[in-house]
Each structure stands twice: as structure tokens, then as C-alpha cells.
Amino acid sequence: MPVTIFDSGQLTLGTGLLALAAAKAAADGRPLSDIVGALEDQASRTHCIAALDTLEYLRRSGRLSRFQASLGSVLQIKPS
């Protein structure tokens, strides 16, 4: 089975929507090149926005340092 690696540049919901679109296109019998082209088009038009109540998980994942997370909490910054 041929495998093509595709970087969606998306987060959870955006990736899921692209996976559903790819599965539907494959079920319709479209060739792989058409599926990848459709995914690239849809990925460029898909935007996900997330708002977090706390900076804690950004700190734990390494996206923020302990200092940045502390400063953001003191300033009551809500990332989105």
C-alpha cells in the first residue's frame, strides 16, 4: 500500500477534518495525487483557534519557560 507523508500544519480538529476529507476522497476512488492536492487546498483554508485558561500546559510542553509562564500568569495573559 503506498504511503504519502503529508504535513497538514494543523492541530487536532484541523487534522481530523483533513483525515475525513482524505478518507472520503479515497472511498470515491480518486487517485492519490488528487487527494494530496485537495488536502493541500483544504489545509490552506483551515484555521483553528484555541484559547487556554492557563499557561501551565504550555510550560509543561516546553513551549514556555517557567519564567515566561509565571510572568504570563501574573499579567493574566490568556493565550489564543
Side-chain angles (χ1 to χ4, degrees):
M1 176 180 284
V3 175
T4 299
I5 297 173
F6 177 76
D7 181 9
S8 66
Q10 301 292 320
L11 298 172
T12 54
L13 181 62
T15 302
L17 293 172
L18 291 173
L20 290 173
K24 183 177 183 319
D28 292 343
R30 293 178 59 188
L32 184 59
S33 60
D34 286 356
I35 295 171
V36 171
L39 290 178
E40 289 171 346
D41 178 55
Q42 185 172 347
S44 70
R45 295 180 290 113
T46 303
H47 305 282
C48 292
I49 298 172
L52 306 173
D53 286 335
T54 177
L55 298 174
E56 178 62 20
Y57 294 107
L58 293 176
R59 184 194 63 78
R60 287 184 186 182
S61 70
R63 290 183 171 91
L64 290 179
S65 69
R66 186 175 298 270
F67 172 75
Q68 290 170 323
S70 298
L71 182 61
S73 294
V74 168
L75 298 175
Q76 298 181 348
I77 294 174
K78 302 289 184 188
S80 59

